[in-house]
């Protein structure tokens, strides 16, 4: 009985085919500073909006470090074009720790990172996978209108489009607004608990808050020290 190549354990695996990007492609460019070091993250997308390549530019770093980051970006881009899921790359490279690291300036949702690679895949996970668990400030909080500011008119809808930021109008009939329920003691306690929960504290942490030396989670200020929201470890105090 002859076995088919698919059933033969010694048969060579099927050859992967590279999905090449169009010559002209869209994407986004994000400028930020990590511990005072400027970094530019650029992406290239397929026609359907999925990511196919990344560029990491840190032109003020040394030649060796800059070359290593360029080669790393090329390797990630080749993996994406050969079908490696972005989810696996995000899970693999987030929370990697090396210098430069620390405070992030220039990104609305990410305020700290443990390395340039950690920052890059936090951004990619947030933009292309809606991984809000990797953000320190949720996108809804960033887009919330300021008190007294005019809200979007009826029929306005925002589509992020995987970083493209496209806007278009939609026709929606006006909806009747239900009367707000009268506030009661139970509702007041629930709202107070929601405002003082860990998510609210996480979105308002100090810009110089370090990462926990035990689990790597973000910390919040606790008096003159910092306390981890994940494991309860205290940084600098007993």
């Amino acid at each position: 009985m002859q076995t088919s190549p698919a059933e033969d354990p010694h048969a060579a695996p099927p050859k992967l085919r590279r999905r090449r990007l169009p010559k002209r492609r869209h994407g986004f460019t994000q400028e930020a500073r990590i511990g005072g070091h400027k970094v530019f993250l650029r992406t290239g997308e397929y026609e359907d909006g999925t990511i196919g390549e990344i560029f990491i530019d840190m032109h003020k770093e040394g030649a060796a470090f800059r070359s290593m980051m360029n080669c790393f970006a090329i390797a990630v881009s080749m993996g994406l074009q050969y079908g490696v899921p972005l989810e696996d790359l995000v899970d693999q490279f987030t929370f990697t720790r090396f210098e430069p690291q620390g405070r992030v300036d220039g990104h609305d949702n990410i305020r700290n990172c443990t390395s340039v690679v950690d920052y890059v895949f936090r951004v990619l996970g947030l933009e292309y996978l809606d991984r809000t668990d990797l953000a320190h400030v949720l996108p809804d909080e960033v887009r919330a209108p300021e008190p007294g500011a005019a809200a979007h008119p009826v029929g306005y809808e925002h589509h992020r489009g995987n970083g493209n930021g496209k806007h278009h109008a939609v026709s929606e009939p006006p909806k009747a607004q239900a009367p707000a329920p009268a506030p009661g003691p139970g509702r007041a306690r629930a709202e107070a608990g929601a405002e003082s929960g860990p998510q609210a504290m996480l979105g308002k942490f100090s810009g110089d808050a370090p990462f926990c030396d035990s689990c790597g989670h973000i910390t919040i200020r606790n008096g003159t020290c910092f306390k981890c929201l994940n494991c309860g470890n205290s940084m600098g105090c007993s």
Side-chain angles (χ1 to χ4, degrees):
M1 180 178 179
Q2 187 176 4
T3 60
S4 62
E7 298 175 354
D8 187 0
H10 302 289
K15 184 177 180 180
L16 300 177
R17 299 190 62 180
R18 181 181 179 185
R19 182 187 177 192
R20 294 188 176 274
L21 287 156
K23 297 299 182 182
R24 182 183 179 91
R25 52 260 202 183
H26 296 284
F28 71 88
T29 301
Q30 178 70 53
E31 175 186 353
R33 287 183 179 271
I34 301 175
H37 298 259
K38 184 178 290 187
V39 55
F40 290 88
L41 171 63
R42 298 181 176 88
T43 66
E45 299 173 355
Y46 292 102
E47 295 89 341
D48 59 359
T50 56
I51 185 173
E53 66 181 356
I54 64 171
F55 300 91
I56 305 172
D57 185 13
M58 300 182 70
H59 63 281
K60 288 190 176 181
E61 305 302 322
F65 185 85
R66 185 172 65 248
S67 298
M68 288 297 297
M69 295 306 297
N70 288 338
C71 292
F72 175 75
I74 293 173
V76 171
S77 302
M78 293 291 291
L80 292 171
Q81 294 171 27
Y82 274 100
V84 177
L86 179 60
E87 297 91 330
D88 294 345
L89 295 174
V90 170
D91 292 336
Q92 183 69 32
F93 289 113
T94 48
F95 301 106
T96 52
R97 184 182 296 272
F98 58 86
E99 296 291 342
Q101 61 174 306
R103 177 173 176 174
V104 175
D105 296 310
H107 198 285
D108 293 333
N109 309 108
I110 298 173
R111 300 295 177 81
N112 270 282
C113 66
T114 57
S115 65
V116 177
V117 173
D118 175 57
Y119 162 76
V120 166
F121 284 95
R122 283 177 184 268
V123 174
L124 297 180
L126 180 63
E127 293 289 337
Y128 291 96
L129 303 175
D130 291 327
R131 288 284 301 273
T132 55
D133 59 306
L134 299 175
H136 302 114
V137 180
L138 298 181
D140 293 338
E141 298 177 7
V142 175
R143 291 195 295 264
E146 296 293 335
H152 294 312
V154 176
Y156 181 89
E157 185 176 349
H158 173 70
H159 288 269
R160 182 168 55 81
N162 298 326
N164 294 330
K166 299 178 181 178
H167 303 263
H168 68 85
V170 294
S171 58
E172 294 182 355
K175 298 180 180 179
Q177 185 176 4
R187 183 184 176 190
R189 287 193 298 269
E191 292 178 352
E195 293 177 356
S196 60
Q199 292 297 333
M201 298 171 66
L202 184 61
K204 301 176 181 178
F205 71 93
S206 175
D208 59 347
F211 288 89
C212 178
D213 54 6
S214 296
C215 66
H217 199 270
I218 192 63
T219 59
I220 61 171
R221 185 170 292 279
N222 184 25
T224 59
C225 307
F226 293 93
K227 181 179 180 181
C228 179
L229 293 175
N230 185 43
C231 67
N233 179 41
S234 182
M235 303 279 290
C237 299
S238 58

